[in-house]
Amino acid sequence: MKYDFLGWVPEILPESFYAKASAPSNIALVKYWGKKASQIPANPSISFTLNHCKTITEITFLKKDNPNDFSFDFWFEGAAKPDFHPKIQQFLERIERYVPVLKCYHLTIKSENTFPHSSGIASSASAMAAMSAVIICFEKTLCINKSEDFWLAKASFLARLGSGSACRSIQGPLMIWGGSEMESTTNEFAVVHDVIHPIFQDFQDTILLVDKGEKQVSSTLGHGLMNGHPFAENRFAQAHQNLKSITQAMKEGDLETFIALVESEALTLHAMMMTSQPYFILMKPNTLRVIEEIWNFRKETNIPVCFTLDAGANVHVLYPKQNQPEVLTFIKHTLAAYCQNNQYICDEIGDGIVFI
């Protein structure tokens, strides 16, 4: 699937524009770890789009006299945040050739999250997806001869340039990003995978806040350490095979295979961290205790609950909605004790961006 995303500056521009959108975070089932230039993934990934853990972003566009540079203010949860400016500036510079009209406007960007800061949920994914959605909403008013599929793809494309995994937050509930043997997949943006058994269509994700501290190694640095990693090529090949296997399992409703692949992928991600140079560990002791408790609970009850991990210590507990009462009781009475201040967040899979 190929699109030409290069942008243009119309001769006549509106004096102002305003739009607001929300975008959720997402949780990868097959992990993306390692990237090439221009935010291209070293391997394909597949993720559940979440529903409740969102970033809500509004942008006011005011036309300015001097279009030579980017101009913006950024507010996060009611407070000016100049610390965020370098990341936003970098994002705008990366997307300049695709949305050059942005230089014609001063942007007032206001953003907030529905989930706690530093909670281990991928806020860069939801933030960049929400910002990209608003930018595309503006660009759509300047060009009416493009399809909705084009605009969704371009929003995902722009989001990727801000944060790789953000491209998977534009739509849902199941997204594939990265070129693979599967038809229509691409490195440029994420695509919806809708061949999915009903058991997976209302999956739940409860995020256990094991550690809310800042990570000692950023994801950007971690991705870079895959360059020259002794196991990199085998890992990338494994991800391609696991993508094929997990999509087949999700088509057939094969929970046993799904669980085995999801947990293996989570542990493989952290194995790559622990075997890089320099090596590092993001899991905490309570991360391991939670994993053991989940294994024991699943063995004793035969309830199809499993875990996955992002690049951090917190644990995502995944399970079918039909098993929600038993799993939430287990979380409340057993797993919550391993969380900071007994905190956890209940979420479920969702459909991506919403314009407000």
Side-chain angles (χ1 to χ4, degrees):
M1 191 183 303
K2 280 284 186 182
Y3 290 114
D4 181 4
F5 293 133
L6 289 177
W8 67 98
V9 179
E11 292 184 8
I12 300 175
L13 291 171
E15 291 297 316
S16 65
F17 184 80
Y18 170 85
K20 184 176 184 179
S22 70
S25 188
N26 66 78
I27 179 65
L29 307 173
V30 172
K31 307 296 183 180
Y32 136 69
W33 196 243
K35 61 185 175 181
K36 306 171 187 177
S38 302
Q39 297 285 88
I40 297 298
N43 67 266
S45 58
I46 186 169
S47 62
F48 275 142
T49 305
L50 299 182
N51 191 36
H52 303 310
C53 293
K54 298 180 177 182
T55 297
I56 301 167
T57 296
E58 60 182 85
I59 303 179
T60 302
F61 301 73
L62 290 178
K63 192 177 176 185
K64 61 183 186 179
D65 295 329
N66 183 358
N68 293 331
D69 205 354
F70 294 110
S71 171
F72 63 90
D73 299 312
F74 181 74
W75 298 70
F76 181 69
E77 299 189 341
K81 290 289 184 179
D83 291 353
F84 285 53
H85 282 213
K87 189 170 182 65
I88 296 172
Q89 179 73 24
Q90 180 188 59
F91 173 58
L92 295 175
E93 290 171 359
R94 285 177 176 176
I95 68 172
E96 178 182 357
R97 62 191 299 229
Y98 307 106
V99 200
V101 71
L102 292 179
K103 277 192 171 180
C104 300
Y105 290 85
H106 176 80
L107 312 180
T108 300
I109 308 165
K110 297 181 179 180
S111 190
E112 61 184 33
N113 290 341
T114 63
F115 52 91
H117 185 60
S118 298
S119 61
I121 298 165
S123 58
S124 61
S126 56
M128 288 302 173
M131 196 178 306
S132 298
V134 174
I135 289 170
I136 287 298
C137 184
F138 174 48
E139 196 181 19
K140 283 172 70 174
T141 68
L142 308 177
C143 179
I144 60 174
N145 62 347
K146 301 287 187 180
S147 69
E148 188 63 20
D149 285 345
F150 171 88
W151 291 118
L152 288 168
K154 185 165 183 177
S156 180
F157 175 86
L158 296 182
R160 188 199 93 229
L161 295 175
S163 172
S165 60
C167 71
R168 299 189 310 239
S169 284
I170 298 297
Q171 294 176 269
L174 192 64
M175 303 297 294
I176 298 177
W177 171 42
S180 72
E181 296 176 14
M182 299 182 65
E183 188 178 356
S184 300
T185 59
T186 172
N187 290 327
E188 301 297 319
F189 52 89
V191 298
V192 175
H193 182 72
D194 55 10
V195 184
I196 178 173
H197 188 277
I199 193 68
F200 294 107
Q201 291 176 0
D202 56 4
F203 239 59
Q204 306 294 296
D205 178 8
T206 301
I207 303 109
L208 306 181
L209 306 184
V210 171
D211 184 271
K212 295 191 287 182
E214 189 171 339
K215 292 187 296 189
Q216 68 205 54
V217 176
S218 70
S219 292
T220 298
L221 178 58
H223 282 295
L225 293 176
M226 287 299 285
N227 296 322
H229 193 293
F231 307 132
E233 292 308 313
N234 284 340
R235 163 57 199 155
F236 300 149
Q238 179 196 44
H240 278 270
Q241 181 56 52
N242 283 351
L243 177 62
K244 291 171 58 178
S245 299
I246 202 167
T247 51
Q248 186 64 28
M250 296 185 78
K251 176 183 178 181
E252 297 173 354
D254 182 352
L255 283 164
E256 185 176 352
T257 299
F258 173 84
I259 287 170
L261 288 167
V262 166
E263 293 189 342
S264 173
E265 275 286 318
L267 296 175
T268 298
L269 171 66
H270 286 261
M272 293 300 101
M273 300 173 192
M274 291 188 278
T275 50
S276 64
Q277 289 296 333
Y279 46 80
F280 59 102
I281 300 174
L282 295 184
M283 289 190 287
K284 300 294 184 182
N286 278 357
T287 307
L288 297 176
R289 294 187 180 105
V290 165
I291 290 171
E292 290 179 339
E293 293 282 9
I294 290 171
W295 284 343
N296 290 336
F297 177 79
R298 189 169 69 225
K299 183 177 180 180
E300 292 169 1
T301 64
N302 286 320
I303 291 174
V305 57
C306 64
F307 72 88
T308 190
L309 309 166
D310 264 341
N314 298 323
V315 182
H316 290 249
V317 186
L318 304 176
Y319 51 95
K321 187 171 185 176
Q322 67 188 34
N323 299 111
Q324 187 178 52
E326 306 97 319
V327 175
L328 286 181
T329 299
F330 165 58
I331 290 170
K332 180 180 179 180
H333 294 301
T334 303
L335 299 186
Y338 299 108
C339 302
Q340 281 193 6
N341 302 318
N342 292 87
Q343 283 189 293
Y344 55 90
I345 299 171
C346 294
D347 210 330
E348 60 189 351
I349 66 173
D351 293 322
I353 59 172
V354 174
F355 290 99
I356 302 170

